[in-house]
Amino acid sequence: MEIEYWCEFALLAEEKSYSKTAEMMNLSQSALSKHIMSLEKELGVRLFDRSSRKVELSEAGQRFLPYAVAIQKLLHDIKALAANIISDAGVDISIASIPVMAQYGIIDRIAAFEKKHSKVSVRVSECESINILQRLADGEYDLAFVRGMDDDRFDYIPVASDRLAVVLPADHPLSKEPRLSLSRLSKEEFCFLDRETGIYNLCLQLCAESGFAPKIKYIGRRPENLLKMVTSGRGIALLMQRHTEYLSGEDTVAIPLDPPVEFPVCVARMKNRELSVWAKTFLEELSE
């Protein structure tokens, strides 16, 4: 019997959404559904009421849920203990970060902390946005630098801000506009960052709200490749403005969206989780 399936069951019972639970667990919806059915087969009961369109616990599911929550907590504690053992072996703070660290001064902040506290060892791992908070929740890291602050499992300290921009070739007819609505770009071909970056679905949603489905010419993971596509005339892109300005040259322009789509860049910590002395010190100095 897979322990992770119990965690998925507990989270699904809480979120009441296969799509949201699958995203939080970094699974496909079909894989999540198979895991729940496998757990039901082993138990010999139905955990969810299949007669309802909503995700509702069956009577048996309600009785099993407290055990699933207990298993979920135990697994979290085991992972947290493993992280602490690693910390005791020489890592005082473990930090995950979105890939764009330099653009938001994250590297400078960490370097300044290590310089001030020369005996402290800080381990930093780059993670894609879609995975980072779940890995923080699982106890793999003490803290995480993230974009946005809409997951209420965490506390946040804002450290920077950014906004979504349209990236155009410098010679594009709209390149001199101070702001651009997406509706004016409905006939353009787009270059998108892929689903792992967390921006893909947002861009699709914004286009839909502007009344069109974007014609996507290219999907990639690295912003520098999207910028190269733009400069070579292969399409336009939707990227974070500060990130674009950090990477691009005179052959592209980044124009803010109208209405603006803004994001805070924050350091996140899991609520009600005790931090090491040095992790607390890092947060305190970051707040100052």
Side-chain angles (χ1 to χ4, degrees):
M1 189 174 291
E2 295 285 344
I3 293 178
E4 288 288 354
Y5 293 3
W6 284 99
C7 298
E8 292 166 16
F9 162 54
L11 187 59
L12 180 57
E14 178 183 353
E15 297 296 334
K16 300 185 184 301
S17 166
Y18 272 89
S19 60
K20 186 174 181 180
T21 301
E23 182 178 348
M24 293 173 69
M25 297 298 293
N26 197 24
L27 296 168
S28 66
Q29 290 190 51
S30 60
L32 175 61
S33 181
K34 287 178 182 178
H35 293 174
I36 297 300
M37 288 190 288
S38 176
L39 185 57
E40 290 176 327
K41 184 176 180 180
E42 288 196 64
L43 295 173
V45 298
R46 288 290 182 91
L47 297 172
F48 292 94
D49 184 1
R50 299 297 197 282
S51 64
S52 171
R53 291 186 177 182
K54 298 180 180 179
V55 179
E56 297 288 351
L57 285 170
S58 66
E59 182 178 347
Q62 293 174 8
R63 296 176 67 179
F64 275 109
L65 181 59
Y67 297 97
V69 172
I71 291 171
Q72 185 183 43
K73 183 179 185 303
L74 181 60
L75 184 60
H76 166 266
D77 291 345
I78 290 171
K79 290 181 177 180
L81 176 60
N84 286 336
I85 291 173
I86 292 172
S87 178
D88 292 342
V91 177
D92 296 297
I93 310 175
S94 57
I95 300 175
S97 177
I98 51 179
V100 286
M101 291 186 279
Q103 293 86 327
Y104 299 129
I106 293 172
I107 294 175
D108 292 338
R109 290 171 182 267
I110 294 172
F113 181 83
E114 284 192 307
K115 184 176 181 179
K116 181 178 180 180
H117 306 282
S118 58
K119 294 182 179 181
V120 180
S121 175
V122 181
R123 173 169 58 90
V124 185
S125 300
E126 179 183 301
C127 303
E128 294 295 350
S129 299
I130 200 168
N131 302 319
I132 194 167
L133 286 178
Q134 188 56 48
R135 296 179 71 174
L136 179 61
D138 288 342
E140 292 185 45
Y141 302 99
D142 299 314
L143 307 167
F145 284 96
V146 298
R147 190 184 290 116
M149 48 194 304
D150 55 356
D151 190 326
D152 59 11
R153 294 177 296 169
F154 307 95
D155 290 322
Y156 302 90
I157 297 174
V159 297
S161 62
D162 207 346
R163 55 188 177 183
L164 201 60
V166 182
V167 184
L168 305 171
D171 59 357
H172 192 283
L174 298 175
S175 64
K176 304 300 182 183
E177 297 289 330
R179 292 182 178 273
L180 278 173
S181 64
L182 274 176
S183 59
R184 297 182 65 185
L185 305 168
S186 60
K187 305 299 182 183
E188 300 280 350
E189 294 180 325
F190 285 83
C191 302
F192 275 12
L193 289 172
D194 75 7
R195 293 170 179 81
E196 292 296 312
T197 63
I199 292 180
Y200 178 88
N201 288 330
L202 171 64
C203 292
L204 285 182
Q205 178 187 335
L206 291 171
C207 290
E209 291 173 355
S210 297
F212 70 97
K215 182 179 179 181
I216 302 175
K217 191 71 171 289
Y218 173 81
I219 297 176
R221 182 165 293 187
R222 308 312 306 175
E224 54 267 34
N225 291 336
L226 269 69
L227 289 170
K228 185 62 178 179
M229 288 286 179
V230 173
T231 59
S232 63
R234 300 283 292 171
I236 66 173
L238 293 174
L239 293 168
M240 303 308 297
Q241 184 161 359
R242 288 178 64 173
H243 194 180
T244 303
E245 292 172 348
Y246 185 87
L247 294 173
S248 62
E250 296 180 355
D251 46 4
T252 60
V253 294
I255 302 175
L257 287 178
D258 184 21
V261 180
E262 299 179 337
F263 299 89
V265 177
C266 310
V267 62
R269 60 165 292 183
M270 190 72 181
K271 287 181 177 178
N272 303 318
R273 178 182 295 166
E274 187 64 24
L275 293 175
S276 69
V277 172
W278 285 117
K280 290 179 181 177
T281 303
F282 182 83
L283 286 180
E284 290 169 359
E285 295 187 7
L286 199 65
S287 299
E288 295 171 359

